Amino acid sequence: MHPVYGDPDNPPFSPNGTRFYSYHNAAGSDPALNGQLHSGSNPRNSAVYEHPTVSPSNNAAGEATAPRSHRASQISDSGVFGVTGLKNFGNTCFMNSVIQCLIGTKPLTRYFMCGDWKKDFIQASPAYANVTSEYAQVVENMWRGQYGFVSPKDFRQAIADCSEQFRGNDQEDAHEFASFLLDTLHETLNRRHPRPPPERDMTVEEELDFENLDDKQQSDLQWNRFIRRNDSVITNIFQGQIQSRLMCMACRHTSTTYHTFTELSLPIPVSDNNFSELGDANGPPMPNHQPSSNMPINIYQCLEAYAETEVLDGENKWMCPQCKVKRPATKKLMISRLPLVLIVHLKRFSTVGHFREKLSTNVLIPTINLTLQNYVTSSIAQEPTTYNLYAVANHYGTMSSGHYTASVSDGMSSHWNYFDDTKVSQIPESQVTSSAAYLLFFVRTQPR
């Protein structure tokens, strides 16, 4: 039986005496973890560990701070993760905000701190492998809590060596960087090595048989096809599955596909019409609410817009395999497999002609009990569908002149820390989400 993540009554210890709430995972299976000690749930208050607000103090060169042994001692005694800032190399706040959110993802950080990553490490591609090894070093430096802030210079160079997009000094998109980093970690820590060849596409007859299966059978079949070639800590923690179903409006024949996701990108619905009645963040909105860009909306409205049935007509008619002609059809997206950690990307940036615009709409987001019951397939409707927020990457300003920060729960108490590059301070939970919220990190709750 795997120890459960967040069990304060029986925490294992590392050889050096540091307390870990364990992360154990059998190859090919999900980790036996829950979200009790992430932010937003009552159980997180069952073990409160005080630690001081961090104010960075530079040395003469401005590169690092002096070790603070009392802080390292507190971490060892309580199991609280280090609260450490990151140096900005000009325009690398996008990188810093993502790192802080991932450091706050306790199962992933424990995987690196316990050294489990070395057993899965693949060095087939030196450039990608270097990103992973340097990320592990950043985790080590930050978690130990010996410095007010660290300078991830080697990690940044490893990223530049691996990706031309992040090679220069321009401000980049935090969502794109998060996707790149998680993909890189997945590829270099994939336990399916060497990877078996991809499976062939289904024949027409097999597709017809597939459509006769129920949702759970379809989902399980496609998930097993996926994990045959993909099994990493990223798969176990972050990856879920989306069902996409087309249905002919004439004969009601369906065609169902499934794809894996690491982040769920949600549109922010905007129109020229204001609405007068606004729900809070703790429940789905009333139907037909179409906000303007300067009015707050509910995150459930974003989920509704994502899952809204789309009608394919006109030039977008579907070639129905049963009718043998193009027909109007509906397209519906539903979540068919929920991940342990759900990353939500709010689509604040849009392209209009030659210009990119930012939506500064304030999306009301619950810190506890985000429920996805209305957006999952019937096959998983009886499973836990509730999530608690534990980290937010924020974007302030415009496309041309912006700045990223992060708000992260300390994981063991109700405290939230605000990371603005090297500066770290505590903030009340009421200030965690705002119109700057861009990437949201939620952990799935489990029944007690």
Side-chain angles (χ1 to χ4, degrees):
M1 179 177 178
H2 299 305
V4 176
Y5 165 50
D7 178 9
D9 297 321
N10 186 30
F13 288 81
S14 69
N16 65 5
T18 301
R19 183 176 300 186
F20 293 99
Y21 290 93
S22 72
Y23 170 85
H24 288 278
N25 177 49
S29 65
D30 289 338
L33 307 173
N34 65 34
Q36 292 184 2
L37 295 184
H38 278 287
S39 70
S41 62
N42 289 333
R44 76 178 179 188
N45 296 322
S46 62
V48 178
Y49 297 104
E50 296 289 339
H51 53 84
T53 301
V54 180
S55 298
S57 56
N58 297 357
N59 64 11
E63 289 293 328
T65 61
R68 291 180 291 172
S69 58
H70 69 281
R71 185 163 184 77
S73 174
Q74 281 191 328
I75 292 171
S76 297
D77 291 341
S78 69
V80 177
F81 282 66
V83 180
T84 309
L86 290 165
K87 181 178 178 179
N88 188 329
F89 296 99
N91 273 319
T92 57
C93 54
F94 71 93
M95 179 181 77
N96 293 347
S97 65
V98 170
I99 292 175
Q100 295 291 3
C101 292
L102 292 181
I103 289 290
T105 304
K106 303 305 186 288
L108 181 65
T109 296
R110 289 190 184 90
Y111 171 82
F112 280 97
M113 287 299 299
C114 293
D116 291 345
W117 70 279
K118 296 176 183 177
K119 296 182 291 186
D120 300 329
F121 192 39
I122 302 169
Q123 302 187 55
S125 171
Y128 285 92
N130 197 34
V131 170
T132 298
S133 60
E134 290 298 339
Y135 178 77
Q137 188 60 56
V138 170
V139 173
E140 173 80 15
N141 292 341
M142 293 180 67
W143 192 90
R144 291 303 180 193
Q146 295 175 308
Y147 306 101
F149 70 89
V150 298
S151 178
K153 182 178 180 181
D154 292 338
F155 175 72
R156 185 206 179 200
Q157 186 59 53
I159 293 291
D161 292 342
C162 192
S163 171
E164 185 176 351
Q165 177 182 356
F166 304 109
R167 194 164 294 165
N169 295 316
D170 294 335
Q171 177 70 272
E172 299 293 345
D173 186 281
H175 170 242
E176 293 178 359
F177 176 74
S179 298
F180 165 79
L181 180 55
L182 291 174
D183 286 347
T184 300
L185 295 177
H186 171 70
E187 291 299 325
T188 55
L189 299 170
N190 191 354
R191 304 178 190 104
R192 304 299 193 222
H193 184 75
R195 231 177 201 164
E199 297 196 25
R200 61 172 177 80
D201 293 336
M202 288 187 285
T203 65
V204 174
E205 293 76 15
E206 288 172 337
E207 287 183 357
L208 292 174
D209 291 339
F210 182 77
E211 289 303 314
N212 290 326
L213 300 176
D214 61 36
D215 284 350
K216 179 171 175 50
Q217 291 172 318
Q218 287 184 354
S219 172
D220 288 348
L221 178 63
Q222 294 294 59
W223 183 257
N224 288 333
R225 286 167 65 105
F226 173 75
I227 64 173
R228 179 174 169 266
R229 305 184 71 240
N230 300 274
D231 176 31
S232 72
V233 67
I234 305 303
T235 306
N236 298 150
I237 296 175
F238 296 101
Q239 292 184 327
Q241 185 188 63
I242 295 292
Q243 178 198 80
S244 176
R245 176 163 287 162
L246 293 170
M247 185 176 71
C248 176
M249 297 178 69
C251 71
R252 301 188 68 81
H253 176 77
T254 60
S255 176
T256 312
T257 57
Y258 293 81
H259 69 268
T260 303
F261 72 91
T262 306
E263 311 97 14
L264 194 64
S265 292
L266 300 184
I268 299 177
V270 173
S271 78
D272 293 332
N273 301 319
N274 291 349
F275 61 89
S276 57
E277 188 177 342
L278 178 69
D280 64 22
N282 296 313
M286 298 296 290
N288 300 322
H289 282 170
Q290 292 293 325
S292 67
S293 60
N294 62 345
M295 294 192 67
I297 67 167
N298 187 301
I299 191 173
Y300 291 101
Q301 292 172 267
C302 301
L303 286 162
E304 291 287 341
Y306 175 83
E308 184 179 11
T309 300
E310 179 184 359
V311 176
L312 306 180
D313 203 352
E315 295 181 354
N316 296 320
K317 286 182 180 179
W318 176 48
M319 176 60 74
C320 175
Q322 187 158 293
C323 295
K324 309 296 184 185
V325 295
K326 287 189 173 183
R327 296 285 197 189
T330 60
K331 180 180 179 180
K332 179 74 173 176
L333 298 178
M334 297 287 280
I335 303 172
S336 52
R337 188 179 184 91
L338 289 166
L340 173 67
V341 167
L342 175 68
I343 303 177
V344 172
H345 162 228
L346 296 177
K347 298 170 73 173
R348 292 199 176 276
F349 302 112
S350 61
T351 301
V352 180
H354 297 291
F355 301 96
R356 292 195 72 188
E357 296 182 347
K358 179 186 175 183
L359 290 173
S360 296
T361 306
N362 187 15
V363 180
L364 303 179
I365 302 158
T367 56
I368 61 171
N369 297 331
L370 172 73
T371 177
L372 301 182
Q373 183 73 30
N374 294 339
Y375 314 103
V376 301
T377 59
S378 58
S379 61
I380 62 170
Q382 302 306 313
E383 299 179 10
T385 59
T386 303
Y387 284 80
N388 294 334
L389 186 72
Y390 71 90
V392 181
N394 307 292
H395 181 271
Y396 297 92
T398 64
M399 284 293 300
S400 58
S401 178
H403 182 61
Y404 285 97
T405 66
S407 304
V408 185
S409 168
D410 67 10
M412 297 300 295
S413 71
S414 58
H415 295 154
W416 284 80
N417 295 306
Y418 183 72
F419 297 89
D420 184 355
D421 294 327
T422 59
K423 301 175 185 177
V424 185
S425 59
Q426 285 188 359
I427 59 170
E429 189 170 299
S430 60
Q431 295 179 15
V432 167
T433 62
S434 69
S435 60
Y438 184 45
L439 295 179
L440 312 171
F441 290 71
F442 294 90
V443 64
R444 192 178 184 184
T445 61
Q446 299 291 339
R448 302 196 69 184

